[in-house]
Amino acid sequence: MELRDIEIFLTLAEELHFGRTAERLHVTPSRVSHVIKKQERRIGTALFERTSRTVRLTPAGDRLYQSLRPAYQQMTDAIEEASAAVRDASGTLTLGTIGIQGWMVNHIIDQFRTRCPAVDLRHRDLNTVDPLTPLRAGEVDVAHVWLPVREPDITVGRITHTSQIVVAMAADHPYAGRDSIGLEDFGDLTFVAHESPIPASMEETFQPFRTPSGRLVPRGPVVATWDDELKAVTGGHAVITAAAEAVGFYSRPGLVWMPVRDATRCQWAFVWRAADQNPLIRAFAAAADDAADALADRPA
């Protein structure tokens, strides 16, 4: 049973009202009901008696409440003690993000700064063509990148958000007048090639090596930076794909953006070196986890 689910059970046992419990915990009543039903299925008996007017603990529910309440208090006290230690932590943590995606995780950055006010959080931009090298070189402690990252030396945190994939091409490209483009069309286009050793699994998220039918996706000019990519596109030498958030920030004359209608949404997450024992990294990952939990619990 997860800590959040325990909190929901204990709160309902005290309030004996689904609406007040949901309001107190800032979740929906349906979320409370779902958690309680899941707990009852797992335990094998009813924990609450419900009527249209009242909610009461069953004997089994009361026994569980009496057992869980002190244990939960011990856990929350321990978490608060650990949190206090983090708040007193100092030092420098360097975060790397990619372009506009840095703004997409501002709420996590703000939460970490609130929790760890004595930490000097430095923020730098990562190159889309070579996002992992600064992390491995120790130039950044935590990187925010797209998935999948399947490198054995790198730990992947919780997904922060997803993005639609779009393609950019020159305004005079034969496909530029379309409303959208499909993955099978990639076989008719020329994409940039990366100068850096970007993992193939990451490259395929945006630029597959084959179309769904198996045709090769051509690669053209070699690029070393995001600016190189944009210049290759506006020059008519290649097309590129990117997360849809880039459209509003990188519009320029001679450039056309359009959605890739059948592409899987791109997932983003924080990653860090698996061998790095810096406690500030764990504190930042915890802030990202809490933000993900808060988003999951937010009423629709």
Side-chain angles (χ1 to χ4, degrees), residues 64-104:
L64 183 62
Y65 176 80
Q66 298 301 329
S67 298
L68 281 181
R69 186 65 206 176
Y72 176 79
Q73 189 62 53
Q74 288 181 333
M75 285 189 289
T76 54
D77 288 347
I79 291 171
E80 177 54 34
E81 183 178 346
S83 297
V86 169
R87 286 194 295 271
D88 294 335
S90 61
T92 299
L93 186 74
T94 302
L95 169 67
T97 61
I98 296 172
I100 178 57
Q101 298 304 323
W103 279 268
M104 298 295 292

Coordinates of all heavy atoms in Angstrom, one line a residue, residues 64-104:
L64 N -7.6 -1.9 11.2 CA -6.6 -1.4 10.3 C -6.2 0.0 10.7 O -5.1 0.4 10.7 CB -7.1 -1.5 8.9 CG -6.1 -1.1 7.8 CD1 -4.8 -2.0 7.8 CD2 -6.7 -1.1 6.4
Y65 N -7.2 0.8 11.0 CA -7.0 2.2 11.4 C -6.1 2.3 12.6 O -5.1 3.1 12.7 CB -8.3 3.0 11.6 CG -8.1 4.4 12.1 CD1 -7.8 5.4 11.2 CD2 -8.2 4.7 13.5 CE1 -7.6 6.7 11.7 CE2 -8.0 6.0 13.9 CZ -7.7 7.0 13.0 OH -7.5 8.3 13.5
Q66 N -6.4 1.5 13.6 CA -5.7 1.5 14.9 C -4.2 1.1 14.7 O -3.3 1.5 15.3 CB -6.4 0.6 15.9 CG -7.8 1.1 16.3 CD -7.8 2.5 16.9 OE1 -6.9 3.0 17.5 NE2 -8.9 3.2 16.7
S67 N -4.0 0.2 13.7 CA -2.7 -0.3 13.4 C -1.9 0.7 12.6 O -0.7 0.9 12.8 CB -2.7 -1.7 12.7 OG -3.4 -2.6 13.6
L68 N -2.5 1.2 11.6 CA -1.8 2.1 10.6 C -1.5 3.5 11.2 O -0.5 4.1 10.8 CB -2.6 2.2 9.3 CG -2.6 1.1 8.4 CD1 -3.4 1.4 7.1 CD2 -1.2 0.8 7.9
R69 N -2.4 4.0 12.0 CA -2.3 5.4 12.4 C -0.9 5.7 13.0 O -0.2 6.6 12.6 CB -3.4 5.8 13.4 CG -3.4 7.3 13.7 CD -3.7 8.1 12.5 NE -3.1 9.5 12.6 CZ -3.1 10.4 11.7 NH1 -3.7 10.1 10.6 NH2 -2.6 11.6 11.9
P70 N -0.5 4.9 14.1 CA 0.8 5.2 14.7 C 2.0 5.0 13.7 O 3.0 5.7 13.7 CB 0.9 4.3 15.9 CG -0.1 3.3 15.6 CD -1.2 3.9 14.8
A71 N 1.9 3.9 12.9 CA 2.9 3.6 11.9 C 3.0 4.7 10.9 O 4.1 5.2 10.5 CB 2.6 2.3 11.2
Y72 N 1.9 5.3 10.4 CA 1.9 6.4 9.5 C 2.5 7.6 10.1 O 3.3 8.3 9.4 CB 0.5 6.6 9.0 CG 0.3 7.8 8.1 CD1 0.7 7.7 6.7 CD2 -0.1 9.1 8.6 CE1 0.5 8.8 5.9 CE2 -0.2 10.2 7.7 CZ 0.1 10.0 6.4 OH 0.0 11.1 5.5
Q73 N 2.2 7.9 11.3 CA 2.8 9.0 12.0 C 4.3 8.9 12.1 O 5.0 9.9 11.9 CB 2.2 9.2 13.4 CG 2.6 10.5 14.1 CD 2.1 11.7 13.3 OE1 0.9 11.8 13.0 NE2 3.0 12.6 13.0
Q74 N 4.8 7.7 12.4 CA 6.2 7.5 12.4 C 6.9 7.7 11.1 O 7.9 8.4 11.0 CB 6.5 6.1 12.9 CG 6.3 5.8 14.4 CD 6.6 4.4 14.8 OE1 6.6 3.5 13.9 NE2 6.9 4.2 16.0
M75 N 6.2 7.3 10.0 CA 6.8 7.5 8.7 C 6.8 8.9 8.3 O 7.8 9.4 7.7 CB 5.9 6.7 7.6 CG 6.2 5.2 7.7 SD 5.4 4.3 6.3 CE 3.7 4.4 6.8
T76 N 5.7 9.6 8.6 CA 5.6 11.1 8.2 C 6.6 11.9 9.0 O 7.2 12.8 8.5 CB 4.2 11.6 8.4 OG1 3.8 11.4 9.7 CG2 3.3 11.0 7.4
D77 N 6.8 11.5 10.3 CA 7.8 12.2 11.1 C 9.2 11.9 10.5 O 10.1 12.9 10.5 CB 7.8 11.6 12.6 CG 6.5 12.1 13.3 OD1 5.9 13.0 12.8 OD2 6.3 11.6 14.4
A78 N 9.5 10.7 10.1 CA 10.8 10.4 9.5 C 11.0 11.2 8.2 O 12.1 11.7 8.0 CB 10.9 8.9 9.3
I79 N 10.0 11.3 7.4 CA 10.1 12.0 6.2 C 10.3 13.5 6.4 O 11.1 14.2 5.8 CB 8.8 11.8 5.3 CG1 8.7 10.4 4.8 CG2 8.7 12.8 4.2 CD1 7.4 10.0 4.2
E80 N 9.6 14.1 7.4 CA 9.8 15.5 7.8 C 11.2 15.7 8.3 O 11.8 16.7 8.0 CB 8.8 15.9 8.8 CG 8.9 17.3 9.4 CD 8.9 18.3 8.3 OE1 8.2 18.1 7.2 OE2 9.7 19.3 8.4
E81 N 11.7 14.8 9.1 CA 13.1 14.9 9.6 C 14.1 14.9 8.4 O 15.0 15.7 8.3 CB 13.4 13.7 10.5 CG 14.8 13.8 11.1 CD 15.1 12.7 12.1 OE1 14.1 12.0 12.5 OE2 16.3 12.5 12.5
A82 N 13.9 14.0 7.4 CA 14.7 14.0 6.2 C 14.6 15.3 5.4 O 15.5 15.8 4.9 CB 14.4 12.8 5.4
S83 N 13.3 15.8 5.3 CA 13.1 17.0 4.6 C 13.8 18.2 5.2 O 14.3 19.1 4.5 CB 11.6 17.3 4.5 OG 10.9 16.2 3.8
A84 N 13.8 18.2 6.5 CA 14.5 19.3 7.3 C 15.9 19.3 7.0 O 16.6 20.3 6.8 CB 14.2 19.1 8.8
A85 N 16.5 18.1 6.9 CA 17.9 18.0 6.5 C 18.2 18.5 5.1 O 19.2 19.1 4.9 CB 18.4 16.5 6.7
V86 N 17.3 18.2 4.2 CA 17.4 18.7 2.8 C 17.3 20.2 2.8 O 18.1 20.9 2.1 CB 16.4 18.0 1.9 CG1 16.3 18.7 0.6 CG2 16.6 16.5 1.7
R87 N 16.4 20.8 3.6 CA 16.2 22.2 3.6 C 17.5 22.9 4.0 O 17.8 24.0 3.6 CB 15.0 22.6 4.5 CG 13.7 22.3 3.8 CD 12.6 23.0 4.6 NE 12.5 22.6 6.0 CZ 11.7 21.5 6.4 NH1 11.0 20.9 5.4 NH2 11.6 21.2 7.6
D88 N 18.2 22.2 4.9 CA 19.5 22.8 5.4 C 20.7 22.5 4.5 O 21.8 23.0 4.8 CB 19.8 22.3 6.8 CG 18.7 22.7 7.8 OD1 18.1 23.8 7.6 OD2 18.5 22.0 8.8
A89 N 20.4 21.7 3.4 CA 21.5 21.3 2.6 C 22.0 22.6 1.8 O 21.3 23.5 1.5 CB 21.1 20.3 1.6
S90 N 23.3 22.6 1.5 CA 23.9 23.6 0.7 C 24.8 23.0 -0.4 O 25.1 21.8 -0.4 CB 24.6 24.6 1.6 OG 25.7 23.9 2.2
G91 N 25.3 23.8 -1.3 CA 26.1 23.4 -2.3 C 25.6 23.8 -3.7 O 24.7 24.7 -3.7
T92 N 26.1 23.3 -4.7 CA 25.7 23.7 -6.1 C 25.2 22.5 -6.8 O 25.8 21.4 -6.8 CB 26.9 24.2 -6.8 OG1 27.4 25.4 -6.1 CG2 26.6 24.6 -8.3
L93 N 24.1 22.7 -7.5 CA 23.5 21.6 -8.4 C 23.3 22.3 -9.7 O 22.7 23.3 -9.9 CB 22.2 21.1 -7.8 CG 21.6 20.0 -8.6 CD1 22.3 18.7 -8.3 CD2 20.1 19.8 -8.2
T94 N 23.8 21.6 -10.8 CA 23.7 22.1 -12.1 C 22.7 21.3 -12.9 O 22.9 20.1 -13.0 CB 25.1 22.1 -12.8 OG1 26.0 22.9 -12.1 CG2 25.0 22.7 -14.2
L95 N 21.7 22.0 -13.4 CA 20.6 21.3 -14.2 C 20.8 21.7 -15.7 O 21.0 22.9 -16.0 CB 19.3 21.8 -13.7 CG 18.1 21.5 -14.5 CD1 17.8 20.0 -14.5 CD2 16.8 22.2 -13.9
G96 N 20.6 20.7 -16.5 CA 20.7 21.0 -18.0 C 19.3 20.7 -18.6 O 18.8 19.6 -18.3
T97 N 18.8 21.6 -19.4 CA 17.5 21.4 -20.1 C 17.7 21.8 -21.6 O 18.7 22.5 -21.9 CB 16.4 22.2 -19.5 OG1 16.7 23.6 -19.5 CG2 16.2 21.8 -18.0
I98 N 16.7 21.4 -22.4 CA 16.8 21.6 -23.8 C 15.8 22.7 -24.2 O 14.6 22.4 -24.2 CB 16.5 20.3 -24.6 CG1 17.6 19.3 -24.3 CG2 16.5 20.6 -26.1 CD1 17.4 17.9 -24.8
G99 N 16.3 23.9 -24.5 CA 15.5 24.9 -25.1 C 14.2 25.2 -24.3 O 14.2 25.3 -23.1
I100 N 13.1 25.2 -25.0 CA 11.8 25.5 -24.4 C 11.4 24.5 -23.3 O 10.6 24.8 -22.4 CB 10.7 25.6 -25.5 CG1 9.3 25.9 -24.9 CG2 10.6 24.3 -26.3 CD1 9.2 27.2 -24.0
Q101 N 11.9 23.3 -23.3 CA 11.6 22.3 -22.3 C 12.0 22.7 -20.9 O 11.4 22.3 -20.0 CB 12.2 20.9 -22.7 CG 11.8 20.4 -24.0 CD 10.3 20.2 -24.2 OE1 9.6 19.9 -23.2 NE2 9.7 20.5 -25.3
G102 N 12.9 23.6 -20.8 CA 13.3 24.2 -19.5 C 12.1 24.9 -18.9 O 11.9 24.8 -17.6
W103 N 11.3 25.6 -19.7 CA 10.1 26.3 -19.2 C 9.0 25.3 -18.8 O 8.2 25.6 -17.9 CB 9.6 27.3 -20.2 CG 10.4 28.6 -20.2 CD1 10.1 29.7 -19.5 CD2 11.6 28.9 -20.9 NE1 11.1 30.7 -19.7 CE2 12.0 30.2 -20.6 CE3 12.4 28.1 -21.8 CZ2 13.1 30.8 -21.1 CZ3 13.5 28.7 -22.3 CH2 13.9 30.0 -22.0
M104 N 9.0 24.2 -19.4 CA 8.0 23.2 -19.2 C 8.1 22.5 -17.8 O 7.2 22.0 -17.3 CB 8.0 22.1 -20.2 CG 7.7 22.5 -21.7 SD 6.1 23.2 -21.9 CE 5.1 21.7 -21.7

